[in-house]
Amino acid sequence: MKLGMFMMPVNDHRRDTHTVLKEDVEIAVACDRLGFDEFWIGEHYTTLSEPVTCPFMFLSNLIARTTRMKLGTGVVNLPQRHPVQTAAHAALLDHLSDGRLILGVSPGGLVSDFEMFGVTDLQVRREMAGEAIETVLKLWSTEPPYDIRGKYWTLRLEDYHWPDLGVGAMIKPYQKPHPPLVASAMSPDSGGVRSAAARGWGVISANFVPVSTIKNHWQGFSDGCARSGREPGPADWRVARSIFVAEDDAWAKAYVRDPEGPFAHYYGYLVTLVRRAAFHAIMKSGPEMADEDVTPEYACDAFSVAGDPDSVAEQILALREEVGPFGTILMTATDCLNETHKAHQLASMRLMADEVIPRLRRALGDRAAA
């Protein structure tokens, strides 16, 4: 079992942008110091609550500040970038980080970004995302001259290809043939999960979906692997949850439900956002659940894992038993809000790394041996 941190981020938009970005970097650096295996950062252009506009830039800022953990784009929204930029920026980051990049990709996830970029149609975004990643892979696997024609982008580089100067060629990634590719998954019965599995990619199950949806993701992932003759394995599946660990079990459980706390802020923002975007069905425990029952309080209860180290380890093992054998558990970052909450978050991360993960590894090793 590996441990990672998934940071959208979701910051309080009323706070100073410079301050919250510095705190986000501080949390990322702490992940490496505590022994986290991975760190993931999102990409959003048009919200002060999620102010990281370029995951490549954010992760580049971490290279010299960290030593071991993998750096994941969580995710690059492919329709909102030219494929040449995606290919070039990812390859550069892969080199600068000595091959620590994991490239997470998606069709996008924020309605205000969709409107700003003029890509509000879901089917169009999916088509663009598919074409974009195919183009990126062609750029990484072939040499100029280029003549790549698609529905949304046409790439041509023939007249100014001067091999004696290196002009016209693009850098290839450090990792061969390219960095690992990972798709994000939110919807039940996701076709994207099956497609990702069939192509040899990994999958991240989002933290704000019910357990039944996560279980469907593993089933879809297994089906997609079978289509391509690939064996589905834990190493290719990551599950994100809101996790809080403290020495006192009862206090930890109460903390995630505190209406003034960071988890209430996180889900207060997220629930309001998806409800206004008419996308809140992904959070429902079932189709029979009423719209008005999708509340921050419901989300804190349904999507959080909280308690002392023994309790949290037991809950994660139970989740894994129910949904399938994911190989990485991703904590989800919240806003620090203030110094007191930041201290609680850092303490929770330390307990997760030092006490919960060793318990999980011992338990899973014992089960494998049995």
Side-chain angles (χ1 to χ4, degrees):
M1 177 69 69
K2 291 184 177 180
L3 173 62
M5 174 68 75
F6 192 95
M7 178 181 284
M8 294 167 110
V10 173
N11 299 126
D12 189 333
H13 69 278
R14 296 164 295 187
R15 299 181 67 206
D16 174 64
T17 298
H18 183 76
T19 299
V20 298
L21 286 171
K22 289 292 187 179
E23 286 179 346
D24 292 339
V25 170
E26 181 181 349
I27 295 299
V29 172
C31 287
D32 188 73
R33 184 178 69 249
L34 292 169
F36 280 55
D37 298 287
E38 300 173 355
F39 176 84
W40 298 79
I41 188 70
E43 174 186 75
H44 306 90
Y45 288 88
T46 56
T47 170
L48 297 178
S49 294
E50 303 175 68
V52 175
T53 55
C54 178
F56 296 125
M57 192 176 296
F58 189 98
L59 294 174
S60 293
N61 186 44
L62 298 181
I63 293 172
R65 301 169 186 259
T66 60
T67 59
R68 57 175 303 276
M69 67 183 181
K70 298 290 186 178
L71 306 173
T73 60
V75 289
V76 172
N77 298 314
L78 293 169
Q80 297 162 195
R81 288 174 171 266
H82 195 287
V84 171
Q85 291 176 306
T86 301
H89 292 168
L92 177 61
L93 179 56
D94 200 36
H95 277 280
L96 294 177
S97 66
D98 294 323
R100 286 199 275 157
L101 174 64
I102 307 174
L103 186 62
V105 297
S106 87
L110 183 64
V111 288
S112 56
D113 283 354
F114 302 160
E115 182 178 8
M116 179 68 89
F117 284 91
V119 286
T120 55
D121 185 281
L122 175 58
Q123 185 56 36
V124 169
R125 289 200 307 278
R126 287 174 173 168
E127 289 178 357
M128 293 179 75
E131 182 179 316
I133 198 61
E134 286 298 331
T135 302
V136 168
L137 293 173
K138 286 179 183 177
L139 292 171
W140 284 346
S141 61
T142 61
E143 299 297 332
Y146 297 114
D147 187 10
I148 305 173
R149 301 177 183 273
K151 181 177 180 180
Y152 299 100
W153 293 280
T154 295
L155 281 59
R156 181 182 176 277
L157 202 164
E158 298 176 348
D159 296 342
Y160 299 103
H161 174 218
W162 300 329
D164 61 318
L165 298 176
V167 173
M170 295 184 61
I171 63 171
K172 304 295 193 289
Y174 179 82
Q175 299 176 79
K176 304 303 179 190
H178 53 71
L181 287 164
V182 174
S184 60
M186 295 183 291
S187 303
D189 302 315
S190 170
V193 169
R194 290 177 175 83
S195 176
R199 301 175 71 174
W201 301 4
V203 169
I204 295 177
S205 294
N207 66 293
F208 47 83
V209 298
V211 170
S212 58
T213 294
I214 302 175
K215 187 174 183 179
N216 283 342
H217 289 167
W218 175 249
Q219 293 168 347
F221 188 76
S222 299
D223 291 345
C225 287
R227 280 168 36 196
S228 61
R230 174 188 177 198
E231 187 69 26
D236 298 313
W237 188 27
R238 297 161 175 86
V239 170
R241 289 327 249 173
S242 295
I243 300 173
F244 184 72
V245 195
E247 297 289 357
D248 186 297
D249 187 69
W251 182 83
K253 290 179 169 65
Y255 182 76
V256 300
R257 297 170 178 82
D258 180 358
E260 301 301 319
F263 290 87
H265 168 265
Y266 178 92
Y267 283 111
Y269 166 78
L270 206 60
V271 167
T272 304
L273 180 69
V274 298
R275 285 180 64 87
R276 290 184 185 178
F279 196 48
H280 54 286
I282 63 167
M283 287 186 162
K284 290 185 177 182
S285 59
E288 72 286 348
M289 185 176 181
D291 288 353
E292 59 269 22
D293 291 337
V294 179
T295 64
E297 294 77 16
Y298 155 76
C300 281
D301 285 333
F303 309 139
S304 296
V305 175
D308 63 24
D310 283 329
S311 175
V312 168
E314 290 170 3
Q315 291 174 66
I316 294 173
L317 288 170
L319 175 65
R320 195 174 186 271
E321 191 72 28
E322 183 173 359
V323 303
F326 56 87
T328 302
I329 184 73
L330 299 178
M331 300 181 79
T332 304
T334 61
D335 192 284
C336 293
L337 296 182
N338 58 44
E339 289 300 317
T340 298
H341 288 302
K342 183 183 1 181
H344 292 328
Q345 184 169 340
L346 290 168
S348 172
M349 292 162 55
R350 180 185 58 78
L351 288 170
M352 186 72 184
D354 290 350
E355 300 195 28
V356 176
I357 288 296
R359 283 168 167 81
L360 294 176
R361 290 172 179 165
R362 285 195 298 269
L364 294 172
D366 291 345
R367 292 182 186 184

